[in-house]
Amino acid sequence: MNELLDYQYVVYELCGEKYAIKINEVYEIIRLKKITYLYNSKSYLEGIINLRGKIVPVINIHRILGLENYSDTKSTRIVILRFNDELIGTIVDRVIQVAKFSDIQPTPETVDEIDGNYFEGLGITQDGEVIAIMKVDKLLNAEY
Amino acid sequence: MCKLYDSPEFIRAFLDEVDEQLELFEKNILNLERDPNDEIIRALFRIAHTLKGSSAAVGFEKMKTLTHKMEDVLDRIRTGKIKVTKPLIDVLFRCLDELKTLKEEFSSKGNNIKTDITLTLSELHKYISGDQLLKKTVGAEINKEFKLDLEQQIQIQQAVASGLNVFVCEVKIKKDCVMKAVRAFLILNFLNQLGTVIKSEPDMTDMNDNIDVESISYLLITEFDKEQLKVKVLDRMLEIESFNADLFDLSLIQSQSDNGCNVTKDSGYEKQNTNEIRNKTNQTVRVDIGRLEKMMEMVGELVIEKSRISQIVSLLHERYSSDNSFEDLEEISNQISRITNELQELVLKVRMLPIKQLFSRIPRLVRDLADSLHKEIELVIEGEDTELDKTIIEDLADPLVHLIRNAADHGIEAPDERLKAGKNPKGTIRVNAYHQENQFILVVQDDGRGINLNKVKEVALKKGIISRQESDLLNDKEVLELIFKPGFSTSQSISDISGRGVGMDIVRNNINKLNGVIEVETKEWEGTKFIIKLPLTLAILNGLLIRINNEIYAIPVSNVIEIVRLNEKEIKKIKNQDVVIIRERTISLIWLHDYFKVRRNIRNKNIVIVILGIAEKRFGLVVDELIGNQEIVVKNFGSYIGKLDIFSGATILGDGNVACILDVAGIVKTTAFKKSYDKEFA
């Protein structure tokens, strides 16, 4: 758990709740752009976008985590993650800040009614706020 | 293994060269069979010589030995000592096959060659032996005594190349001479003044004074000729019983085996040698295909950005048309378009090779087929300069071979049968390639007996490919398509050549893979014609953009047969499958709407149907709207998404959005159409 304290985290919002992701897993953050729907068997795959000439898949984490679907607002962003040498976009409702945690607690069985397996742990900020840290490989390899 | 083999560029260059030379060789043997003349023999000799040189350079012993023997035989043909006969040509063909096997093995396993060439060597030897052995017995005997390392071999080769003579000098020292070894040394020194002694036998360096030698052979490189040499030696040297100089048989160099280490030592030498030869033969650069691919990708991206710029320019046109700098922008945009187009064309061309490379295999194939089938076949090849993407050429090889085999085996009749039918006893196979509207067309045509449709039906019934009920419903075109079904063969007997029923299946699969289309035309007693249509390249393709339910998709134009607009009422249903009849042909319709689980929206009474073809299959795709043609750059989805059923990839449109490319073969495989189709015909 302790090595998790050394990282910086990107904190973002999904349906009003805050979540964090390790900053070194983030490739870049872009505005929501037209996503081309891609018909396939993975229901959480939202489609593909053109990222400066590259085709990048975008997944819907709202759907994976069983949250209410995102709505297209001014603050909606696509967080592009680097995963297995590939770029994969995830849609978030808002990006809030970059933060470090002063303490990290193990994940309980569920976090806001979401399966605890999706999280590395709970990060506690200096202000005492509790933010769940996403486990990227679990998220991206979701079986639906 | 020694160092030389570690240089993959060098090996690749060698293999490429072998490929080239073997191709040439094949062509020339075929010509030789038809019309033996000196020009061809000289060409063959040159090829054998080049191959010998380059195989020696990479230390490829077996190829060196074989090509050397070939060189000998060819030399004897050249000098008129042996005549060109059919068995001789057969042996040459056999050498060619052997060389191909050797090359294959070399490219996969390095110098660890298992192929046995002794049989072919002894065949060749038959042509060399006979008079030569009788005439040259003495020389041969002497020559054999020398065991040369690579350095010495090169020395000799270079000497010969620069016009010096290489002699084997046999010196007999008088019996009563004392200290023969010393005498031998004196002779050695004298000879060294006249030229360079490469080696002596017995070897001077391990000779001690007490050894009693009477006869010593020196291998000498000199500018003098035989007679001058003899006079000089006999004049100056004492106590010599006899001096005999004989031209060194260069061929013996090649048959000697040396170990790998020698090669390492001289790799620089050798490389230089072969490079020189190569420079003379062609003025091209060999480039790694990976780099070309990368270049293609970059150009592809440039093409996308280009269309984005022109799109923005036309957007701004109305707003700023009076502005001077806008005019400049417009001009720059046009300029960039032009340059990009040219660049793209150029890069495409770099990957294009003439189909000649593939066609050059056909004459041999047809010759062997005619031979083993006891038929007379005339081959007509046209359009061998037609260019095609290198990767496509490779995948086209198998289909072409199968089509030709079929034409020779099933198509062309035996000579007497042809005579009875009032035809020329010699059958004709015509292979033609040409470009047509950004497509590559390959036609294989024979003037044989044609395909008997009733027989096709019968066989398909017997093999359970179709049921009795289905067979009555099929029209002629559909019956003909049965020949592409796996397991289908009308041949009574399974021969070496064909009849296993996999041939046409391979043809179909490869054409499928290349996004191509195949058509058959046949007329009983008049012949059969196969027409293959392929895209010129796979990396950038001409796409037809269509809209289905507000999403834009691209379809490779090479798969588009035609576009029709029909009234909704003309759609008929057969067993729950929508079909339309276009020029007496029943075409099943596919609604991707159903697959995407969206509503089929028909705005007006007329529906747009894009008739698509993949290999021998045809079907109609119902689309909501046609958008237009555009050059599209194929991009993979990457491994996270993986392979999808009905999309072959995606492309970026002029407005920066992404469109998926429909995979026509995949649609046939996946959609509902398949299920009902299979129920009907499987």
Side-chain angles (χ1 to χ4, degrees):
Chain A
M1 278 294 150
N2 279 337
E3 78 274 4
L4 288 174
L5 285 174
D6 299 335
Y7 290 109
Q8 281 193 304
Y9 294 85
V10 174
V11 180
Y12 56 81
E13 199 180 287
L14 300 173
C15 294
E17 294 288 338
K18 282 183 182 175
Y19 299 91
I21 200 158
K22 276 183 213 152
I23 202 165
N24 56 343
E25 287 169 330
V26 176
Y27 178 75
E28 72 176 306
I29 297 168
I30 58 167
R31 282 171 187 281
L32 187 64
K33 60 195 298 186
K34 162 124 173 70
I35 300 173
T36 301
Y37 174 71
L38 184 66
Y39 188 89
N40 82 339
S41 53
K42 291 175 187 164
S43 64
Y44 59 85
L45 188 81
E46 194 71 6
I48 46 183
I49 56 165
N50 163 21
L51 184 71
R52 292 187 301 279
K54 272 201 178 74
I55 303 282
V56 174
V58 176
I59 63 166
N60 185 332
I61 36 178
H62 294 73
R63 206 170 294 156
I64 293 176
L65 300 178
L67 302 169
E68 199 180 306
N69 203 1
Y70 72 96
S71 52
D72 182 357
T73 71
K74 255 178 125 175
S75 57
T76 310
R77 294 286 183 274
I78 301 176
V79 178
I80 312 277
L81 304 176
R82 205 199 310 262
F83 177 68
N84 285 350
D85 286 333
E86 270 193 84
L87 299 179
I88 295 167
T90 56
I91 304 166
V92 302
D93 293 335
R94 178 200 303 273
V95 174
I96 301 167
Q97 68 189 118
V98 175
K100 273 189 120 175
F101 295 119
S102 52
D103 188 19
I104 288 172
Q105 296 289 323
T107 326
E109 249 170 58
T110 56
V111 177
D112 301 329
E113 296 174 6
I114 299 168
D115 182 355
N117 284 327
Y118 284 112
F119 304 101
E120 300 257 19
L122 297 179
I124 296 155
T125 60
Q126 262 153 354
D127 312 334
E129 206 178 349
V130 179
I131 299 171
I133 303 166
M134 286 280 176
K135 208 187 258 176
V136 167
D137 54 346
K138 176 73 185 169
L139 195 67
L140 297 185
N141 284 324
E143 299 280 331
Y144 268 80
Chain B
M1 195 128 293
C2 67
K3 233 183 191 165
L4 193 55
Y5 298 109
D6 295 342
S7 150
E9 287 92 32
F10 189 51
I11 295 293
R12 203 170 312 131
F14 165 69
L15 290 173
D16 282 348
E17 187 182 10
V18 172
D19 269 343
E20 252 167 46
Q21 295 291 335
L22 287 183
E23 220 169 82
L24 257 174
F25 196 76
E26 180 162 341
K27 205 164 114 201
N28 277 304
I29 313 178
L30 286 162
N31 287 339
L32 183 70
E33 189 172 29
R34 217 170 303 136
D35 166 35
N37 68 44
D38 291 354
E39 192 54 45
I40 295 168
I41 292 160
R42 270 199 296 277
L44 284 169
F45 182 78
R46 272 198 303 273
I47 296 162
H49 186 78
T50 313
L51 283 174
K52 186 182 78 174
S54 45
S55 52
V58 295
F60 189 177
E61 282 309 324
K62 281 203 172 157
M63 186 177 276
K64 195 180 76 181
T65 318
L66 184 58
T67 44
H68 172 65
K69 265 278 179 332
M70 286 161 63
E71 198 183 345
D72 280 352
V73 172
L74 288 164
D75 185 46
R76 296 179 69 75
I77 303 176
R78 190 172 61 165
T79 49
K81 287 197 184 105
I82 23 179
K83 279 224 169 67
V84 180
T85 54
K86 182 142 189 320
L88 177 64
I89 283 169
D90 284 338
V91 171
L92 287 176
F93 269 127
R94 204 160 138 191
C95 294
L96 177 72
D97 293 340
E98 201 98 277
L99 285 173
K100 280 182 184 163
T101 333
L102 283 174
K103 185 222 119 202
E104 286 305 315
E105 215 176 332
F106 185 74
S107 64
S108 56
K109 293 180 209 143
N111 212 356
N112 183 16
I113 308 288
K114 301 244 159 46
T115 311
D116 190 19
I117 55 166
T118 43
L119 219 71
T120 315
L121 279 180
S122 66
E123 288 270 330
L124 280 172
H125 201 71
K126 279 186 209 153
Y127 291 93
I128 306 172
S129 54
D131 59 339
Q132 190 195 16
L133 268 187
L134 291 173
K135 209 181 91 208
K136 278 201 169 178
T137 334
V138 189
E141 222 172 290
I142 299 167
N143 283 339
K144 268 181 194 150
E145 286 170 14
F146 292 100
K147 183 146 182 74
L148 301 173
D149 64 28
L150 201 80
E151 205 168 330
Q152 291 163 333
Q153 290 177 23
I154 292 162
Q155 211 176 345
I156 290 175
Q157 272 160 351
Q158 282 176 341
V160 173
S162 49
L164 296 172
N165 293 322
V166 182
F167 288 113
V168 176
C169 308
E170 201 191 21
V171 182
K172 281 211 165 73
I173 298 168
K174 279 187 182 153
K175 273 203 176 110
D176 51 353
C177 173
V178 285
M179 292 203 288
K180 292 198 181 71
V182 177
R183 179 66 45 196
F185 257 117
L186 286 173
I187 300 171
L188 175 72
N189 283 341
F190 180 68
L191 286 176
N192 264 330
Q193 287 168 24
L194 298 173
T196 318
V197 175
I198 292 179
K199 209 170 158 82
S200 63
E201 195 63 48
D203 199 333
M204 291 293 178
T205 45
D206 24 87
M207 209 190 291
N208 66 44
D209 294 352
N210 300 327
I211 277 187
D212 216 27
V213 274
E214 273 169 28
S215 161
I216 304 166
S217 302
Y218 302 91
L219 189 58
L220 173 71
I221 298 175
T222 175
E223 55 187 293
F224 298 107
D225 70 24
K226 209 165 165 174
E227 288 311 309
Q228 287 172 319
L229 204 64
K230 196 165 179 175
V231 170
K232 278 182 200 285
V233 172
L234 291 178
D235 193 33
R236 294 285 305 276
M237 289 285 111
L238 301 169
E239 309 213 41
I240 289 178
E241 180 144 327
S242 75
F243 177 85
N244 203 350
D246 232 320
L247 266 180
F248 180 62
D249 185 0
L250 279 173
S251 56
L252 282 164
I253 293 179
Q254 313 303 333
S255 49
Q256 289 178 8
S257 58
D258 36 42
N259 52 33
C261 306
N262 284 335
V263 184
T264 329
K265 210 163 64 191
D266 296 312
S267 58
Y269 239 159
E270 296 270 296
K271 251 187 204 171
Q272 210 183 334
N273 256 357
T274 41
N275 280 346
E276 264 168 37
I277 293 167
R278 198 162 300 134
N279 282 345
K280 273 179 217 150
T281 50
N282 57 24
Q283 292 282 344
T284 56
V285 182
R286 292 205 167 88
V287 185
D288 181 12
I289 186 100
R291 281 191 203 169
L292 280 183
E293 227 110 272
K294 186 81 203 159
M295 213 157 119
M296 191 74 163
E297 223 171 83
M298 306 297 290
V299 171
E301 269 165 40
L302 203 59
V303 170
I304 293 166
E305 300 307 318
K306 172 207 83 182
S307 40
R308 290 188 63 186
I309 291 180
S310 30
Q311 197 145 16
I312 289 171
V313 167
S314 57
L315 264 176
L316 295 177
H317 184 79
E318 281 171 25
R319 252 187 279 172
Y320 303 101
S321 54
S322 54
D323 198 317
N324 274 348
S325 38
F326 178 77
E327 261 174 39
D328 286 348
L329 179 66
E330 213 169 16
E331 197 197 312
I332 292 168
S333 158
N334 287 342
Q335 192 74 352
I336 288 178
S337 294
R338 196 183 53 77
I339 296 170
T340 315
N341 285 344
E342 256 172 55
L343 184 65
Q344 184 190 338
E345 218 166 278
L346 218 75
V347 174
L348 277 177
K349 253 191 209 137
V350 170
R351 295 166 49 103
M352 303 276 250
L353 288 176
I355 190 88
K356 199 185 273 170
Q357 180 192 11
L358 186 59
F359 278 8
S360 63
R361 302 184 204 170
I362 307 175
R364 168 79 193 278
L365 178 71
V366 171
R367 173 199 180 267
D368 288 357
L369 283 171
D371 238 25
S372 60
L373 292 165
H374 306 291
K375 290 179 182 174
E376 287 174 44
I377 301 174
E378 163 124 19
L379 177 69
V380 182
I381 292 181
E382 285 162 329
E384 55 179 4
D385 288 324
T386 314
E387 290 187 331
L388 190 62
D389 195 290
K390 182 180 159 70
T391 47
I392 299 183
I393 290 183
E394 277 155 21
D395 280 327
L396 203 53
D398 284 343
L400 184 64
V401 167
H402 283 291
L403 288 179
I404 286 171
R405 279 185 182 172
N406 276 332
D409 197 15
H410 304 311
I412 307 256
E413 312 90 332
D416 48 342
E417 198 180 322
R418 289 182 69 90
L419 272 175
K420 261 185 237 158
K423 289 175 168 178
N424 185 340
K426 204 166 193 181
T428 307
I429 294 178
R430 196 178 286 273
V431 183
N432 192 3
Y434 55 94
H435 283 167
Q436 194 181 62
E437 292 162 24
N438 259 326
Q439 285 195 22
F440 172 87
I441 318 271
L442 176 70
V443 180
V444 178
Q445 188 176 10
D446 66 67
D447 65 347
R449 59 171 78 91
I451 297 173
N452 182 331
L453 293 177
N454 288 329
K455 205 165 151 196
V456 169
K457 247 189 208 178
E458 233 171 75
V459 173
L461 272 174
K462 212 164 70 195
K463 300 207 169 169
I465 295 170
I466 51 166
S467 72
R468 173 73 56 192
Q469 194 189 356
E470 284 156 9
S471 79
D472 296 336
L473 291 170
L474 296 173
N475 63 26
D476 286 359
K477 200 96 187 164
E478 285 162 333
V479 172
L480 209 47
E481 276 159 20
L482 290 173
I483 61 169
F484 292 104
K485 294 269 173 215
F488 182 91
S489 170
T490 50
S491 183
Q492 254 81 9
S493 63
I494 291 175
S495 62
D496 267 358
I497 294 141
S498 62
R500 288 188 183 79
V502 287
M504 292 316 274
D505 200 31
I506 290 173
V507 172
R508 193 198 45 185
N509 280 343
N510 279 29
I511 304 298
N512 241 338
K513 200 168 112 194
L514 297 172
N515 256 327
V517 174
I518 186 164
E519 279 170 23
V520 200
E521 288 169 17
T522 188
K523 246 197 181 142
E524 251 196 303
W525 309 119
E526 282 176 33
T528 310
K529 187 174 179 182
F530 287 89
I531 305 158
I532 294 173
K533 293 182 184 170
L534 297 173
L536 285 183
T537 172
L538 294 178
I540 293 184
L541 52 92
N542 221 331
L544 173 70
L545 300 183
I546 53 123
R547 198 190 299 277
I548 294 177
N549 190 44
N550 293 326
E551 292 277 1
I552 296 175
Y553 298 97
I555 306 171
V557 166
S558 57
N559 291 119
V560 177
I561 309 280
E562 63 176 321
I563 296 167
V564 290
R565 280 169 216 272
L566 285 178
N567 192 297
E568 205 192 331
K569 283 179 194 144
E570 288 180 61
I571 300 177
K572 311 221 162 24
K573 270 193 193 298
I574 295 179
K575 292 184 190 168
N576 237 351
Q577 167 70 50
D578 287 352
V579 298
V580 287
I581 291 161
I582 295 165
R583 285 192 287 284
E584 293 179 8
R585 196 179 158 144
T586 314
I587 299 211
S588 307
L589 290 187
I590 289 182
W591 293 81
L592 280 181
H593 305 71
D594 299 355
Y595 183 71
F596 294 151
K597 301 196 179 68
V598 297
R599 275 193 42 214
R600 301 180 178 189
N601 56 345
I602 300 162
R603 282 177 213 145
N604 42 27
K605 287 258 161 70
N606 275 348
I607 57 164
V608 183
I609 300 168
V610 181
I611 310 288
L612 296 176
I614 181 76
E616 87 290 1
K617 285 208 174 70
R618 305 288 179 270
F619 65 91
L621 181 72
V622 185
V623 305
D624 295 348
E625 191 190 342
L626 289 174
I627 295 169
N629 276 4
Q630 194 187 317
E631 272 191 342
I632 55 173
V633 181
V634 185
K635 288 179 178 286
N636 288 329
F637 288 127
S639 61
Y640 183 71
I641 295 180
K643 218 175 140 30
L644 294 181
D645 296 335
I646 65 162
F647 302 118
S648 57
T651 188
I652 293 164
L653 302 175
D655 60 4
N657 284 333
V658 183
C660 295
I661 302 166
L662 291 173
D663 176 11
V664 179
I667 293 176
V668 172
K669 243 189 246 163
T670 356
T671 52
F673 158 67
K674 191 216 173 193
K675 281 172 211 145
S676 59
Y677 185 89
D678 274 5
K679 245 182 265 155
E680 261 179 84
F681 297 118

Short mmCIF file of all heavy atoms in Angstrom, two decimals, chain B residues 238-264:
data_model
loop_
_atom_site.label_atom_id
_atom_site.label_comp_id
_atom_site.label_asym_id
_atom_site.label_seq_id
_atom_site.Cartn_x
_atom_site.Cartn_y
_atom_site.Cartn_z
N LEU B 238 69.19 -26.88 -63.03
CA LEU B 238 69.97 -28.07 -63.30
C LEU B 238 69.29 -29.29 -62.66
O LEU B 238 68.40 -29.16 -61.83
CB LEU B 238 71.37 -27.91 -62.71
CG LEU B 238 72.14 -26.71 -63.26
CD1 LEU B 238 73.39 -26.47 -62.42
CD2 LEU B 238 72.47 -26.90 -64.73
N GLU B 239 69.74 -30.39 -63.11
CA GLU B 239 69.34 -31.65 -62.53
C GLU B 239 67.83 -31.88 -62.55
O GLU B 239 67.24 -32.40 -61.62
CB GLU B 239 69.86 -31.78 -61.09
CG GLU B 239 71.34 -31.50 -61.03
CD GLU B 239 72.04 -32.32 -59.97
OE1 GLU B 239 71.70 -33.51 -59.85
OE2 GLU B 239 72.89 -31.76 -59.28
N ILE B 240 67.23 -31.41 -63.64
CA ILE B 240 65.80 -31.66 -63.78
C ILE B 240 65.61 -32.67 -64.88
O ILE B 240 66.16 -32.53 -65.97
CB ILE B 240 65.04 -30.37 -64.12
CG1 ILE B 240 65.03 -29.46 -62.90
CG2 ILE B 240 63.60 -30.67 -64.56
CD1 ILE B 240 64.35 -28.15 -63.16
N GLU B 241 64.85 -33.68 -64.56
CA GLU B 241 64.62 -34.70 -65.55
C GLU B 241 63.56 -34.25 -66.55
O GLU B 241 63.73 -34.36 -67.75
CB GLU B 241 64.17 -35.98 -64.85
CG GLU B 241 63.91 -37.07 -65.85
CD GLU B 241 64.31 -38.43 -65.31
OE1 GLU B 241 65.28 -38.51 -64.54
OE2 GLU B 241 63.63 -39.39 -65.66
N SER B 242 62.49 -33.71 -66.00
CA SER B 242 61.45 -33.23 -66.92
C SER B 242 60.67 -32.09 -66.29
O SER B 242 60.55 -32.01 -65.06
CB SER B 242 60.49 -34.37 -67.30
OG SER B 242 59.63 -34.63 -66.22
N PHE B 243 60.17 -31.22 -67.13
CA PHE B 243 59.32 -30.15 -66.64
C PHE B 243 58.04 -30.16 -67.46
O PHE B 243 58.06 -30.17 -68.69
CB PHE B 243 60.03 -28.80 -66.78
CG PHE B 243 59.17 -27.64 -66.34
CD1 PHE B 243 59.12 -27.27 -65.00
CD2 PHE B 243 58.40 -26.93 -67.26
CE1 PHE B 243 58.34 -26.22 -64.59
CE2 PHE B 243 57.61 -25.88 -66.85
CZ PHE B 243 57.58 -25.51 -65.51
N ASN B 244 56.96 -30.13 -66.79
CA ASN B 244 55.69 -30.21 -67.50
C ASN B 244 54.71 -29.21 -66.91
O ASN B 244 54.43 -29.24 -65.71
CB ASN B 244 55.15 -31.64 -67.33
CG ASN B 244 54.17 -31.97 -68.44
OD1 ASN B 244 53.77 -31.08 -69.21
ND2 ASN B 244 53.80 -33.22 -68.53
N ALA B 245 54.25 -28.27 -67.71
CA ALA B 245 53.30 -27.29 -67.19
C ALA B 245 51.93 -27.53 -67.83
O ALA B 245 51.83 -27.80 -69.02
CB ALA B 245 53.76 -25.88 -67.49
N ASP B 246 50.94 -27.46 -67.04
CA ASP B 246 49.58 -27.70 -67.51
C ASP B 246 48.68 -26.61 -66.95
O ASP B 246 48.84 -26.24 -65.79
CB ASP B 246 49.11 -29.06 -66.96
CG ASP B 246 48.60 -29.91 -68.10
OD1 ASP B 246 47.91 -29.33 -68.97
OD2 ASP B 246 48.89 -31.13 -68.11
N LEU B 247 47.76 -26.12 -67.75
CA LEU B 247 46.84 -25.10 -67.23
C LEU B 247 46.05 -25.70 -66.07
O LEU B 247 45.55 -26.81 -66.16
CB LEU B 247 45.88 -24.65 -68.32
CG LEU B 247 46.31 -23.41 -69.10
CD1 LEU B 247 45.27 -23.09 -70.15
CD2 LEU B 247 46.56 -22.23 -68.19
N PHE B 248 45.96 -24.94 -65.03
CA PHE B 248 45.24 -25.43 -63.86
C PHE B 248 43.74 -25.45 -64.16
O PHE B 248 43.19 -24.50 -64.73
CB PHE B 248 45.52 -24.50 -62.68
CG PHE B 248 44.82 -24.91 -61.41
CD1 PHE B 248 45.09 -26.13 -60.81
CD2 PHE B 248 43.88 -24.07 -60.83
CE1 PHE B 248 44.44 -26.49 -59.65
CE2 PHE B 248 43.23 -24.43 -59.66
CZ PHE B 248 43.51 -25.65 -59.08
N ASP B 249 43.13 -26.57 -63.81
CA ASP B 249 41.68 -26.68 -64.05
C ASP B 249 40.94 -25.92 -62.95
O ASP B 249 40.80 -26.37 -61.84
CB ASP B 249 41.29 -28.16 -64.03
CG ASP B 249 39.82 -28.33 -64.39
OD1 ASP B 249 39.16 -27.31 -64.64
OD2 ASP B 249 39.38 -29.48 -64.44
N LEU B 250 40.51 -24.74 -63.32
CA LEU B 250 39.89 -23.85 -62.33
C LEU B 250 38.69 -24.48 -61.65
O LEU B 250 38.37 -24.19 -60.50
CB LEU B 250 39.42 -22.57 -63.02
CG LEU B 250 40.50 -21.54 -63.26
CD1 LEU B 250 39.96 -20.42 -64.10
CD2 LEU B 250 41.01 -21.03 -61.92
N SER B 251 38.04 -25.34 -62.40
CA SER B 251 36.81 -25.91 -61.86
C SER B 251 37.08 -26.67 -60.56
O SER B 251 36.19 -26.79 -59.72
CB SER B 251 36.21 -26.85 -62.89
OG SER B 251 37.18 -27.81 -63.24
N LEU B 252 38.32 -27.15 -60.44
CA LEU B 252 38.60 -27.95 -59.25
C LEU B 252 38.58 -27.12 -57.98
O LEU B 252 38.41 -27.64 -56.89
CB LEU B 252 39.94 -28.65 -59.41
CG LEU B 252 39.84 -29.89 -60.32
CD1 LEU B 252 41.19 -30.32 -60.76
CD2 LEU B 252 39.08 -31.00 -59.62
N ILE B 253 38.79 -25.85 -58.13
CA ILE B 253 38.74 -24.99 -56.94
C ILE B 253 37.41 -25.16 -56.24
O ILE B 253 37.31 -25.30 -55.04
CB ILE B 253 38.86 -23.50 -57.34
CG1 ILE B 253 40.23 -23.24 -57.89
CG2 ILE B 253 38.59 -22.62 -56.14
CD1 ILE B 253 40.40 -21.80 -58.31
N GLN B 254 36.38 -25.15 -57.07
CA GLN B 254 35.03 -25.10 -56.51
C GLN B 254 34.66 -26.37 -55.77
O GLN B 254 33.91 -26.34 -54.82
CB GLN B 254 34.03 -24.84 -57.61
CG GLN B 254 34.41 -23.71 -58.54
CD GLN B 254 34.63 -22.42 -57.80
OE1 GLN B 254 34.03 -22.22 -56.74
NE2 GLN B 254 35.46 -21.57 -58.32
N SER B 255 35.17 -27.49 -56.28
CA SER B 255 34.71 -28.74 -55.67
C SER B 255 35.38 -29.01 -54.33
O SER B 255 35.06 -29.95 -53.64
CB SER B 255 34.93 -29.89 -56.64
OG SER B 255 36.24 -29.82 -57.12
N GLN B 256 36.34 -28.18 -54.00
CA GLN B 256 36.99 -28.41 -52.72
C GLN B 256 36.18 -27.80 -51.60
O GLN B 256 35.63 -26.73 -51.71
CB GLN B 256 38.38 -27.78 -52.75
CG GLN B 256 39.31 -28.54 -53.64
CD GLN B 256 40.66 -27.90 -53.69
OE1 GLN B 256 40.92 -26.96 -52.94
NE2 GLN B 256 41.50 -28.38 -54.56
N SER B 257 36.14 -28.53 -50.55
CA SER B 257 35.39 -27.97 -49.42
C SER B 257 36.37 -27.29 -48.49
O SER B 257 37.50 -27.70 -48.33
CB SER B 257 34.66 -29.09 -48.70
OG SER B 257 35.60 -30.03 -48.27
N ASP B 258 35.93 -26.21 -47.92
CA ASP B 258 36.78 -25.56 -46.93
C ASP B 258 35.94 -25.35 -45.69
O ASP B 258 34.72 -25.39 -45.73
CB ASP B 258 37.33 -24.24 -47.45
CG ASP B 258 36.34 -23.54 -48.30
OD1 ASP B 258 35.15 -23.53 -47.92
OD2 ASP B 258 36.72 -23.00 -49.35
N ASN B 259 36.60 -25.11 -44.60
CA ASN B 259 35.80 -24.93 -43.41
C ASN B 259 35.41 -23.47 -43.25
O ASN B 259 35.98 -22.57 -43.85
CB ASN B 259 36.52 -25.45 -42.17
CG ASN B 259 37.90 -24.86 -42.07
OD1 ASN B 259 38.09 -23.72 -42.47
ND2 ASN B 259 38.84 -25.62 -41.56
N GLY B 260 34.42 -23.26 -42.42
CA GLY B 260 33.80 -21.94 -42.29
C GLY B 260 34.74 -20.82 -41.89
O GLY B 260 34.58 -19.69 -42.33
N CYS B 261 35.75 -21.14 -41.12
CA CYS B 261 36.60 -20.08 -40.58
C CYS B 261 37.34 -19.32 -41.68
O CYS B 261 37.52 -18.13 -41.59
CB CYS B 261 37.64 -20.66 -39.64
SG CYS B 261 36.85 -21.62 -38.36
N ASN B 262 37.71 -20.05 -42.71
CA ASN B 262 38.39 -19.38 -43.80
C ASN B 262 37.52 -18.31 -44.40
O ASN B 262 37.99 -17.28 -44.81
CB ASN B 262 38.73 -20.40 -44.89
CG ASN B 262 39.91 -21.23 -44.47
OD1 ASN B 262 40.71 -20.79 -43.65
ND2 ASN B 262 40.00 -22.44 -44.98
N VAL B 263 36.25 -18.62 -44.43
CA VAL B 263 35.33 -17.69 -45.05
C VAL B 263 35.31 -16.39 -44.26
O VAL B 263 35.35 -15.31 -44.82
CB VAL B 263 33.92 -18.30 -45.13
CG1 VAL B 263 33.00 -17.34 -45.86
CG2 VAL B 263 33.98 -19.63 -45.84
N THR B 264 35.31 -16.52 -42.96
CA THR B 264 35.28 -15.33 -42.12
C THR B 264 36.43 -14.41 -42.42
O THR B 264 36.28 -13.21 -42.57
CB THR B 264 35.42 -15.71 -40.64
OG1 THR B 264 34.84 -16.97 -40.46
CG2 THR B 264 34.80 -14.67 -39.76
#
